[in-house]
Amino acid sequence: MAATRKIIIIGGGPAGYTAAIYAARANLAPLVLAGVQAGGQLMLTTLVENYPGFVDPVMGPELMETMRKQAERFGAEILAQDVTAVEFARRPLVVHEGDTVHEAETVVVATGATARLLGLPDERALLGRGVSTCATCDGFFFKDQRVMVVGGGDSAMEEALYLSRLASQVTVVHRRDTLRASKIMQERARMNPKVALTLNSEVAGVADPAQGRVTAVTLRDVKTGARSEHAVDGLFVAIGHEPNTALFRGQLELLDNSYIKVKPGTTQTSVAGVFAAGDVHDHVYRQAVTAAGTGCMAALEAERWLEAQAR
C-alpha cells in the first residue's frame, strides 16, 4: 500500500477538477480518481455558453480537458480509474480502486449525478444535438423554435416555463392523466400561452440521428396506442436525476432522495474529513459553475481540517 495521502478526490467533473486545482495549489498533492468516464455530464454537452471566462462557446469535453490539464499543471495526479468501495469508518480513510487500496486523511466526493433518460434507441445519439436534460444550459440554442418537455413534476414545469421565454412553442408531455407538479406550478404552466400540455402520452421515438439533430418526436397514446409525429427542434427530458451515491450508502448520511447530506453552508458530510462537492449533494442548481464553486469550497475546507488536526 502506498503512503497515506493528504487528500483523495473521487470524481472528475467540474467539482472534482476544481477541488484538485485548489488542493494542488495548497501543496496537498491530490490524487484524483476521475473514473473511466471522467468529465461528468459536460462530456455529453456540445456547446457551453454560460461558463464564465469564455467569450465564445466552448465544447463541454474541451472545457473538462482544460480543467484537467490545469489541475495536472499544479501537480495533481489524475487516474482514469473507478472507485469500487470506500471505508469511511476507519482512519486513515480507505478508498478501493479494484485491487488497489489507497489511504487518505481527507476525501472529497465529487461523483455527480446522472440525468434519467427515456431509454430510447436514438435518444443518447442525439444528446447535445437537440436532446437535452437542462433547459438552463441549452435553452438559449432554441430561441424561436419548437421544443418538447417530457415530465410531469415541478422540474418539468420549471423547464417548460423557462423555455417559454425563449422558444416559440413548448409542449409538455406526460404519460399520466394528471400532472405530479404542485398546484401553483401547474397553474403557471396552464396560464402560459406558449405552453401546451399533452397528457396520457409517452415518447415512442425521436428523429433524426441521420441528420445529426432533432427533427421530430413520435408520441404514443398510452390508452389507445395511437401514434402521432410532431415536428420539434428540441426534446428536453425532465424526469429527474439519480445522484451517483450507491458507493457511499452505509458510509455517509444520505437524504431521502439519495443525495449526500452536508452541513448547510458547507461541504462537510456526516464523517469528519469527508467532503461532498457538486451534483452529488446539490439537487437544486445542478450547474457546472456551482459544481466548480463547491469543489473550491471542499478543497479549502479539507485544507483547513488538515491544519486543525496538526495543531
Side-chain angles (χ1 to χ4, degrees), residues 126 128-132 141-148 167-169 206-208 212-217 230-236:
L126 289 169
R129 294 173 172 80
V131 173
S132 173
F141 301 115
F142 296 90
K143 291 183 71 174
D144 301 321
Q145 298 183 52
R146 298 161 298 180
V147 299
M148 187 173 286
S168 60
Q169 179 184 352
V206 55
D208 181 9
R213 63 185 181 90
V214 170
T215 59
V217 169
H230 303 259
V232 295
D233 304 291
L235 176 66
F236 288 80

Side-chain angles (χ1 to χ4, degrees), residues 20-306:
I21 291 167
Y22 275 79
R25 291 186 76 250
N27 292 323
L28 297 181
L31 170 64
V32 182
L33 298 172
V36 174
Q37 294 181 328
Q41 295 187 68
L42 280 184
M43 298 302 287
L44 303 175
T45 304
T46 49
L47 294 178
V48 178
E49 287 195 322
N50 58 357
Y51 197 88
F54 294 87
V55 176
D56 298 316
V58 59
M59 298 290 287
E62 179 186 349
L63 178 58
M64 288 298 89
E65 182 63 18
T66 300
M67 285 190 180
R68 177 191 176 102
K69 289 179 178 178
Q70 186 177 3
E72 289 176 325
R73 183 168 74 86
F74 290 116
E77 181 183 356
I78 302 176
L79 302 180
Q81 300 294 333
D82 289 325
V83 171
T84 53
V86 296
E87 297 176 63
F88 289 161
R90 53 173 288 189
R91 293 288 173 181
L93 303 164
V94 176
V95 176
H96 295 264
E97 168 222 320
D99 294 332
T100 303
V101 179
H102 303 278
E103 289 185 341
E105 295 180 50
T106 64
V107 169
V108 172
V109 177
T111 49
T114 303
R116 296 191 191 113
L117 296 175
L118 301 170
L120 301 171
D122 296 327
E123 179 184 27
R124 190 167 289 276
L126 289 169
L127 268 174
R129 294 173 172 80
V131 173
S132 173
T133 58
C134 177
T136 306
C137 310
D138 301 327
F140 181 80
F141 301 115
F142 296 90
K143 291 183 71 174
D144 301 321
Q145 298 183 52
R146 298 161 298 180
V147 299
M148 187 173 286
V149 176
V150 184
D154 278 351
S155 293
M157 297 305 108
E158 289 170 4
E159 299 273 280
L161 291 169
Y162 178 85
L163 289 166
S164 71
R165 303 201 296 267
L166 300 164
S168 60
Q169 179 184 352
V170 182
T171 302
V172 177
V173 176
H174 186 46
R175 61 185 177 180
R176 306 189 189 282
D177 57 3
T178 57
L179 297 172
R180 293 183 294 103
S182 59
K183 295 298 182 182
I184 188 169
M185 294 302 294
Q186 290 189 42
E187 188 64 21
R188 287 175 183 172
R190 294 182 192 279
M191 293 295 290
N192 192 307
K194 282 190 176 182
V195 177
L197 303 179
T198 301
L199 303 180
N200 292 315
S201 297
E202 63 183 9
V203 176
V206 55
D208 181 9
Q211 295 189 42
R213 63 185 181 90
V214 170
T215 59
V217 169
T218 300
L219 298 182
R220 186 182 75 87
D221 189 300
V222 297
K223 290 187 175 180
T224 66
R227 293 180 177 240
S228 56
E229 186 172 278
H230 303 259
V232 295
D233 304 291
L235 176 66
F236 288 80
V237 182
I239 56 176
H241 290 72
E242 289 290 344
N244 300 322
T245 54
L247 191 65
F248 310 104
R249 193 169 295 279
Q251 298 288 329
L252 296 173
E253 185 177 356
L254 305 180
L255 298 173
D256 290 341
N257 58 7
S258 295
Y259 284 80
I260 293 176
K261 182 178 181 179
V262 296
K263 181 180 178 181
T266 77
T267 63
Q268 299 170 28
T269 70
S270 58
V271 174
V274 179
F275 306 88
D279 290 9
V280 75
H281 80 81
D282 173 22
H283 52 92
V284 178
Y285 300 105
R286 295 194 295 260
Q287 298 295 302
V289 69
T290 51
T294 55
C296 164
M297 290 171 60
L300 292 175
E301 290 179 354
E303 181 186 1
R304 291 166 185 167
W305 189 88
L306 288 167

